Structure formats: structure tokens, C-alpha cells
Amino acid sequence: MSTTLALLVAVTLLMAGHGTLVPARASAPVPVPVAASAAATAEKPNPKYVVKPGITFNHPFRNGKRGKIHRRIVKALKNAPAGATVRVITWNFDSPYLARKFIDAHNRGVSVQIIMSRGLARSQGGNPARSYPMMLRAFARGEKKRPEGLKSWIRTCKQTCRGKRGSMHSKLMLVSRSGATNWIVMQGSGNFTGAAAVQQFNDWTTVTENKALYDGWMQMWDQATQDRNFPPMRFTVGNITTMFAPHKGNVDPALSVLNKVQCTGATNTPDGRTKVRIANAVWGEERGARIARKARQLDRAGCDVEIVFMMMQRRIRGILRGMRAKQMVYIYGEEADKFKDRYVHMKGLAVQGNVDGRGDGNVVLSSSENWTRLGWHSDEENIIIRGDAAMTAKYVKHVDMIYRQAPRTLSNYVNSADPDPTPRRDGYRDEGYLGPKDYPFHELEAELS
């Protein structure tokens, strides 16, 4: 099959919303003219550097682990050669440290293109020390000499980039080449901010040398740059399933995993019980309630279920009452304050045991997506990796650690970034929980993301 025909097949599958893609071979980066002064001062990439695949966690309380995710991003960035492409989508980019690293890559001849939330970009104004204005100016320098496909820029979308409503909330980076590694897909729960390192527990998943997966994510990227409505997009490459929101009528990504769990018959756990570990920051509305009910069902069926979270509506906390669920919010200061507290910001889960019809099953869901109605309609990414025992064990161990350290249970929940957790009845389905008219859940979620 010719290269052109293979690409057409891949695009057709992706636009249909589902498909299985086949990896292809790498191509060399295209040379890009670089100013002599920039080339002389820029740090040279290491052509032998290897980007390691897998999952990375940070820890906001431990000096050596606060910046682990940022370091992964920077290493991949600084070893990208001239002519390579770097594509980023992030709800918030507010880190002078990271901004300078992206500018260095641009000056070295790398094509850097970034999409971020319009509201947050505007909030930075023209302050030259803030990330958006800093990169906007830097990327404009030297662009006339570059081929159209290898220019650098930072832009925003009207609201969602691929949908009609919601918000631009993904967190991902796609790198064509870094060192000796090709086709790098990076994504997770952390934005490109200092808060992501020092205030939040986040995760970051890396997949390398998978051209079919990379092409699928780049197809989503191309759609996002057009800032208009596109159909739902889900596809599977080998053991990896990708689900991009807006989801519309599809099965919830979390439930697509949890619905395939059997609680007994596990052959890879000590007691034969399936382990379910959930770390999702924000649970809201009926969507969060559905996932909570499923977790409750699995707990009653004998699964080993453990949950850590940051913010959850009262109705959902009631569904989980009596289960092993803890709120990871450390309060800094005299009262809860979302700008000071340390909290879980992860958005995923892991299953170790009887899942997908395998007694020795392993599944990790890593995502940018809070379990809310807003998340359902926004720009979000979900990646589900099956069969990676080491990754699953690492995720389970990390959630266990957070659970041990979490200071609060469901009964001593605190109102960090949650000013009015008490349900009020106003006729909204008459179910006794907060509806969109009387509770600005989407605004709070945006501030916390």
C-alpha cells in the first residue's frame, strides 16, 4: 500500500469514529532555517536520547518528585531536533520556566504550536512575564523564513475546539521526534503550569514509536486547529484505546472499563479479588453519580475498591458512603483555599484482576477529564492501556499511597473550592442535588483545572 493510500485509510477510520490503525516507519525531520545567533546559543539536542514510555506521577509534598512530569516534558522538548514538530493542547499555560523551554526549541528550529483556553490567555493580558504573551512574541520572530507547515504559534479556540459547547480542557503534547525516539504521544491530568507541579497530584502517560497512534492524535490536532464542530472520535491501536470528547451518545470512558470488571477470579492479586483504584478530582451531576453507583456495585460484589478525589457533590458522597473513599485536600492556611491547598488533580483509574474476560487483566485509564457534564461536552482526551502489568501495578501503588496520606474521609469533607455543597431543591429533576442553574459547577471546575 502506498504512503498516500495508507494515510487515506487511517483518516477514513478516524473520521468514522472507530478504527484500528497499523504503525508505519519514521521519516527524518525537515530542516528549518535558524537564525545564527539562536543556533549558537541554543542547547544542542542529544541524538541518542531515548524517551521512555510509561506513566509518571508527581508528588506536591516531596522536593524530588514535584517536578517529575515537568522534567519529562522538558527532556522530550530539548532533545527535539530542528525540523521536528511539537504540538500542545492545554487548558492553562502559565509557567515562565516551561515557556522559556518552548521558546528555546522554537529558536532551535523546532515547530512549536500550542492551543490554550481563550479566557485564560486573555487573563494574562500583555504582561511580558506571563507565558502567553511571552510565547506569542517569541514565536512571531523568524516565521517568514519557515515553511508553512513548520511555523510556530500559540492560539486559542472560541470555546471548545472540536465541539459546540464546553471548554478547551485537554492536556497533551505530541512530538514527532526527540533524540532517537519517534512519534511521541504524551498526555495526562496536569496543565502546563507551576500549580500542576507544586499544588496537585497529577499523572502523565507517554507512548512512543507508535506511528498509528500518533497519526490518530495528530488527526484530532488538525481538527482542533480548525475550531469547529467535528463528530466524536474514538479508535483502538493494538492494546491502546483513545477516546476524545465531546462524547455525545457514546459510553462513558470510565464505565467502558468498569462495566467489564468481575470482582472474583483474579489470578494476579494475592486474594483473588479484583483491585479497582480510582483517582478522579471532580465528580458532579448525574454523570458523576452514575460512575459512583458503578463503583458501589463493584464494592458490594467483592471487588477491592479504593477511591481518592478532591471535590464531589453531596449526593455523590452519599452514594459512596461506607466505602474506602478519601478526599485528598491538605489545607494551607486558616481555611480552605483552592489557590493554596494541595489536592488530587488526577482523572483516571486502574483495574488489576478479572477484567475484559481475563483473570490476569490489567487496565489503566489516564485522562484530562473530570467526571462532570462539562467534561462530557468539552475538549478532553482519554487513553486506555490494556495488558501493561507494570503500569497498572504502578498506578495501583500510587493511589494506595495517596489514600494512606489523604487526611479526610467522606464524613469530614471540606469545602475547598466548593463554596456551597449543600443541595437545594428548585425543581431540577426534584432529585435533591445541585443543578446547573443554582450551582456554577463548571466555573469551579475550570478554576481547578
Side-chain angles (χ1 to χ4, degrees), residues 46-340:
N46 177 5
K48 297 182 180 180
Y49 175 71
V50 175
V51 179
K52 295 181 180 179
I55 194 164
T56 300
F57 301 99
N58 74 316
H59 195 307
F61 303 123
R62 298 180 181 173
N63 292 336
K65 294 187 176 181
R66 283 195 186 99
K68 284 192 73 173
I69 292 173
H70 282 20
R71 287 193 292 272
R72 294 273 289 174
I73 292 169
V74 168
K75 285 181 181 179
L77 192 61
K78 77 176 185 180
N79 288 297
T85 62
V86 175
R87 304 292 182 252
V88 171
I89 304 181
T90 179
W91 181 77
N92 195 7
F93 200 128
D94 197 5
S95 166
Y97 166 73
L98 289 178
R100 286 191 292 269
K101 298 298 182 181
F102 278 90
I103 291 170
D104 288 345
H106 162 74
N107 289 338
R108 201 172 60 244
V110 177
S111 170
V112 177
Q113 296 180 2
I114 300 170
I115 301 173
M116 69 173 286
S117 164
R118 178 166 297 183
L120 289 171
R122 286 175 173 170
S123 73
Q124 296 184 21
N127 186 339
R130 299 294 292 277
S131 299
Y132 180 79
M134 185 192 307
M135 290 187 289
L136 192 66
R137 291 191 308 275
F139 292 161
R141 292 194 287 268
E143 284 297 275
K144 293 181 180 179
K145 298 180 180 179
R146 296 193 181 199
E148 186 62 33
L150 292 176
K151 293 183 181 295
S152 297
W153 46 254
I154 181 167
R155 298 177 183 171
T156 65
C157 294
K158 291 191 294 288
Q159 198 163 346
T160 48
C161 300
R162 297 178 59 254
K164 292 182 178 179
R165 49 182 172 153
S167 66
M168 205 297 299
H169 195 250
S170 296
K171 303 114 175 31
L172 61 93
M173 183 167 87
L174 310 175
V175 184
S176 62
R177 185 178 181 88
S178 177
T181 308
N182 300 297
W183 309 311
I184 302 151
V185 173
M186 294 178 148
Q187 71 81 46
S189 62
N191 292 292
F192 289 64
T193 65
V198 303
Q199 279 189 250
Q200 303 165 352
F201 289 88
N202 281 304
D203 67 277
W204 194 249
T205 305
T206 303
V207 180
T208 66
E209 300 293 348
N210 191 327
K211 178 68 160 55
L213 182 73
Y214 178 84
D215 284 348
W217 285 60
M218 282 299 297
Q219 176 70 17
M220 180 279 300
W221 163 267
D222 290 339
Q223 293 177 357
T225 63
Q226 298 177 52
D227 195 8
R228 62 185 181 87
N229 192 37
F230 280 92
M233 184 174 173
R234 296 184 173 194
F235 60 92
T236 295
V237 178
N239 68 324
I240 301 174
T241 296
T242 295
M243 299 181 177
F244 293 114
H247 297 297
K248 298 186 179 177
N250 291 304
V251 175
D252 196 293
L255 292 178
S256 74
V257 175
L258 296 177
N259 285 343
K260 296 180 180 179
V261 171
Q262 298 294 319
C263 291
T264 59
T267 60
N268 56 355
T269 63
D271 58 3
R273 298 166 63 209
T274 298
K275 292 185 179 181
V276 178
R277 296 293 184 265
I278 299 175
N280 195 280
V282 184
W283 305 46
E285 297 118 0
E286 179 57 25
R287 183 187 184 190
R290 282 195 299 271
I291 299 172
R293 285 194 292 268
K294 183 62 184 183
R296 180 95 219 180
Q297 176 189 341
L298 293 174
D299 182 69
R300 288 174 174 169
C303 282
D304 177 0
V305 182
E306 200 170 81
I307 299 170
V308 293
F309 68 96
M310 184 272 296
M311 190 167 92
M312 187 181 286
Q313 289 172 311
R314 174 178 287 188
R315 177 184 183 229
I316 299 172
R317 300 200 303 272
I319 294 171
L320 298 176
R321 185 171 292 116
M323 291 178 59
R324 287 191 298 157
K326 282 188 175 182
Q327 184 190 26
M328 170 49 92
V329 173
Y330 270 90
I331 296 176
Y332 275 64
E334 296 182 358
E335 58 185 19
D337 183 337
K338 61 181 171 289
F339 298 111
K340 297 179 181 178

Side-chain angles (χ1 to χ4, degrees), residues 17-28:
H18 300 273
T20 301
L21 308 181
V22 180
R25 297 180 63 83
S27 57

